[in-house]
Amino acid sequence: QVQLQESGPGLVKPSETLSLTCTVSGGSVSSGSYYWSWIRQPPGKGLEWIGYIYYSGSTNYNPSLKSRVTISVDTSKNQFSLKLSSVTAADTAVYYCARSWDSRWELLLVYWGQGTLVTVSS
Amino acid sequence: QTVVTQEPSLTVSPGGTVTLTCASSTGAVTSGYYPNWFQQKPGQAPRALIYSTSNKHSWTPARFSGSLLGGKAALTLSGVQPEDEAEYYCLLYYGGAQPWVFGGGTKLTVL
């Protein structure tokens, strides 16, 4: 059974870049035709899809964040990562990583990490 | 900006039946939106329940069912249990520039 674990700084200063990694166990980021996604949830609010990277390397981002987001894969560490630049307090949220069931994008978000809280504050 | 709307809150008695809906600002929700449903309990990550309108995962209790109802995606809980108290989110596929959009969530209270 695949397991996902987010990690990264819990506090980021305004205007800086938020960087998170998702470590995958029980499977490989480089094998299988999976979508690897990031989702976030501001405190007390709903979920927001950030984007995904497909096993082929293609990416797709939420247009509201597209200019600031980069998702990439590091096969040597069996991780994928999220970078969000020029953060503001509005980017304070619990960030989740997730994986699809298989290659079907309609099963995009099946396996989830436990989430990590990132606070943007000086 | 596409908006997906869910009931903010619903209350149901134990053993009862409740239907949560998911509407799109672009018009009627069809199977082509591949509606997904997720359950989230406080302090936990969301858990996938339903995909492609009505398909259940192996771990989805039988009392949960998905459908299309009156131009919306719907999640029906029959024989509600106390442990079903949670926030429920739908997710719709639009393709193009804004492929996936979550609804605002429905807080289900079992009382």
Side-chain angles (χ1 to χ4, degrees):
Chain A
Q1 170 101 355
V2 66
Q3 292 186 310
L4 308 172
Q5 178 69 58
E6 306 87 351
S7 60
L11 181 63
V12 180
K13 290 182 168 54
S15 79
E16 295 189 343
T17 296
L18 178 159
S19 295
L20 296 174
T21 60
C22 181
T23 300
V24 179
S25 57
S28 170
V29 293
S30 58
S31 67
S33 306
Y34 301 119
Y35 292 89
W36 305 93
S37 296
W38 287 95
I39 308 95
R40 70 180 183 178
Q41 184 172 35
K45 296 188 178 181
L47 299 168
E48 179 179 32
W49 174 74
I50 297 172
Y52 67 68
I53 185 165
Y54 192 38
Y55 80 105
S56 62
S58 64
T59 55
N60 203 338
Y61 301 134
N62 186 322
S64 68
L65 300 170
K66 188 173 184 177
S67 63
R68 300 193 290 132
V69 171
T70 302
I71 297 175
S72 59
V73 168
D74 185 338
T75 57
S76 66
K77 296 181 179 179
N78 211 35
Q79 297 174 335
F80 64 107
S81 66
L82 169 71
K83 291 188 186 301
L84 182 66
S85 63
S86 306
V87 297
T88 69
D91 295 310
T92 293
V94 174
Y95 286 76
Y96 296 98
C97 58
R99 200 204 80 178
S100 64
W101 178 258
D102 54 25
S103 61
R104 292 173 286 172
W105 39 259
E106 60 263 39
L107 284 145
L108 188 71
L109 307 172
V110 176
Y111 297 105
W112 292 66
Q114 65 184 32
T116 187
L117 175 63
V118 178
T119 301
V120 178
S121 175
S122 56
Chain B
Q1 176 84 2
T2 303
V3 177
V4 178
T5 302
Q6 300 181 242
E7 298 87 358
S9 63
L10 292 170
T11 300
V12 61
S13 299
T17 297
V18 64
T19 297
L20 290 64
T21 66
C22 176
S24 172
S25 62
T26 60
V29 176
T30 67
S31 59
Y33 287 78
Y34 300 95
N36 277 242
W37 290 92
F38 301 86
Q39 177 193 63
Q40 186 180 33
K41 295 183 178 179
Q44 297 183 16
R47 181 175 73 138
L49 291 176
I50 300 286
Y51 66 96
S52 296
T53 305
S54 59
N55 294 282
K56 300 179 188 181
H57 293 280
S58 59
W59 52 84
T60 304
R63 60 184 180 275
F64 290 83
S65 63
S67 64
L68 296 175
L69 195 63
K72 301 178 184 180
L75 176 70
T76 299
L77 288 70
S78 304
V80 172
Q81 300 297 307
E83 60 265 30
D84 297 333
E85 183 164 293
E87 192 89 20
Y88 291 85
Y89 292 93
C90 66
L91 176 67
L92 298 181
Y93 174 74
Y94 290 86
Q98 192 177 16
W100 292 98
V101 182
F102 279 103
T106 295
K107 181 175 174 58
L108 182 66
T109 300
V110 181
L111 200 58

